[in-house]
């Protein structure tokens, strides 16, 4: 399927990295536009017209804007099917991919968000501090499950590199800052090392930091 | 695509309702097995072998177990394509469906969960109470966005009834208990009323409550 120019709105060190890697891996024609959280650009009137949620990532296409990482990743797979980033024609296998990515967005990322974004769920400073204290445990339990049950090896879904790998790699970058020792998760750590050596991944990270 | 017998593990009044409605609407051959939270069955060794996450829903298929509502809903659509519960062959439109459902699971359901499941993110009783106090605001803001930006009408994606409608209906059932006045959201309330009158939806809810 041909696509016009795509525009990815991203901020370094956010989950937008997963979609950025997928676009590059797919060979998509895209530009990446940085949204500067330090200037609160995600809340600017211009950006809220693109994404009323006031978050990154967002993907501008010739048919409109997409948000939410699991949806954007699926869109990239389906738009560039020859790149084989997900088992599109196998309903069970595709659902396994979507289940893994849904777990990352609704449970792993959410656990992590209680460190810096506790104000979303409580107003009280003491409550926000209590949430921060639990992040090492809650994020650690998520990665225990990934290590023990979900990551098949060598890639998340087994022999094939998929959109799950880009997304897991992205969230695993946050372990140290969340106060979780990555050494507890040998399979996740090995996965992260191998993914970080991928030339596409290296290019995308370099591009994000250079623009920053 | 033909499917063997499917087994849905559910608990009444949970997000499992969305997948239950989808299975019934698709005409799937399935049985529904109730997991009793009051007996902590979701943490029993038997159930943890089915779903190590210790949550509902889970869907047992002849190829293994699926979890996570957005993934299960996509699986049901792709397994019963003639029922047309999602625009499977249109990458952009399907991504819009998945983006809406991803927002429900990662933001709306998560906001709601801070009322009864605050222990996931803090240990302190005061913090858990502070989270509960903010639920009317955080859930209310989610439904403001749905009302203003996301629900096109008459159905979520416009003229076609999709898996987004089953999932939105399910989460909208929780508004009153979350301390949010549904009257603030005329489009959501109208959507909820029309969905509740669907014979398939009525049958599934009656089945869940009868088994209960």
């Amino acid at each position: 399927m041909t696509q016009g120019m795509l525009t990815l709105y991203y901020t370094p060190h956010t989950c937008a990295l997963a979609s950025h890697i997928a676009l590059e891996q797919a060979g998509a024609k895209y530009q990446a536009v940085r949204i500067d959280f330090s200037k609160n650009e995600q809340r600017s009137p211009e950006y809220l017209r693109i994404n009323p949620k006031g978050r990154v990532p967002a993907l501008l296409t010739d048919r409109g804007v997409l948000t939410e990482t699991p949806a954007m990743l699926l869109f990239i797979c389906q738009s560039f099917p020859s790149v084989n980033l997900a088992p599109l024609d196998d309903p069970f296998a595709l659902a396994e991919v979507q289940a893994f990515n849904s777990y990352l967005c609704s449970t792993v990322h959410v656990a992590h968000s209680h460190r810096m974004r506790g104000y979303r769920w409580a107003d009280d400073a003491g409550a926000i501090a209590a949430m921060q204290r639990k992040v090492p445990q809650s994020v650690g339990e998520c990665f225990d499950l990934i290590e023990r049950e979900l990551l098949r090896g060598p890639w998340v879904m087994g022999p094939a590199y998929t959109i799950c790998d880009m997304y897991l790699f992205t969230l695993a970058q946050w372990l140290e800052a969340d106060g979780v020792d990555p050494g507890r998760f040998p399979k996740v750590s090995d996965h992260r090392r191998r993914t970080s050596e991928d030339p596409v991944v290296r290019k995308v990270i370099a591009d994000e930091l250079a623009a920053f």
Side-chain angles (χ1 to χ4, degrees), chain A:
Chain A
M1 176 164 306
T2 54
Q3 285 285 341
M5 172 71 93
L6 299 166
T7 302
L8 174 71
Y9 296 88
Y10 78 99
T11 303
H13 311 298
T14 71
C15 65
L17 178 63
S19 299
H20 203 163
I21 294 169
L23 286 168
E24 185 74 23
Q25 183 76 42
K29 193 167 68 174
Y30 73 98
Q31 58 177 336
V33 174
R34 185 168 69 90
I35 299 300
D36 190 341
F37 282 6
S38 73
K39 297 178 184 160
N40 215 27
E41 286 180 352
Q42 77 275 21
R43 291 274 160 202
S44 71
E46 294 76 18
Y47 188 68
L48 288 174
R49 274 197 293 275
I50 295 164
N51 181 6
K53 294 172 184 166
R55 306 250 182 114
V56 292
L59 186 68
L60 178 61
T61 80
D62 51 14
R63 287 180 59 191
V65 174
L66 295 173
T67 58
E68 306 290 337
T69 296
M72 291 166 57
L73 291 174
L74 180 64
F75 172 76
I76 295 165
C77 292
Q78 246 192 331
S79 298
F80 302 92
S82 65
V83 187
N84 274 325
L85 294 176
L88 294 170
D89 298 321
D90 180 333
F92 182 80
L94 184 61
E96 287 189 308
V97 164
Q98 291 301 101
F100 184 82
N101 286 353
S102 191
Y103 179 69
L104 293 189
C105 85
S106 65
T107 303
V108 187
H109 192 152
V110 167
H112 157 83
S113 295
H114 284 74
R115 179 165 61 86
M116 301 279 285
R117 315 266 183 237
Y119 56 80
R120 291 178 183 164
W121 303 290
D123 295 319
D124 178 85
I128 289 171
M131 291 180 199
Q132 290 176 328
R133 284 196 299 275
K134 200 174 170 79
V135 167
Q137 180 192 337
S138 58
V139 170
E141 286 171 357
C142 291
F143 277 88
D144 279 335
L145 184 82
I146 292 169
E147 176 82 11
R148 196 178 66 238
E149 302 280 351
L150 305 182
L151 201 176
R152 293 175 184 169
W155 303 110
V156 172
M157 287 294 145
Y161 182 70
T162 69
I163 45 175
C164 297
D165 297 296
M166 302 159 184
Y167 199 7
L168 174 61
F169 171 77
T170 296
L171 271 55
Q173 304 288 92
W174 303 338
L175 282 168
E176 288 87 346
D178 282 346
V180 183
D181 173 12
R184 285 167 54 187
F185 317 111
K187 290 167 66 182
V188 171
S189 296
D190 178 60
H191 177 274
R192 187 173 162 189
R193 183 187 53 72
R194 283 182 288 108
T195 309
S196 72
E197 292 168 355
D198 182 315
V200 165
V201 173
R202 293 170 74 105
K203 174 186 185 307
V204 169
I205 292 175
D207 287 350
E208 289 199 354
L209 297 179
F212 198 66

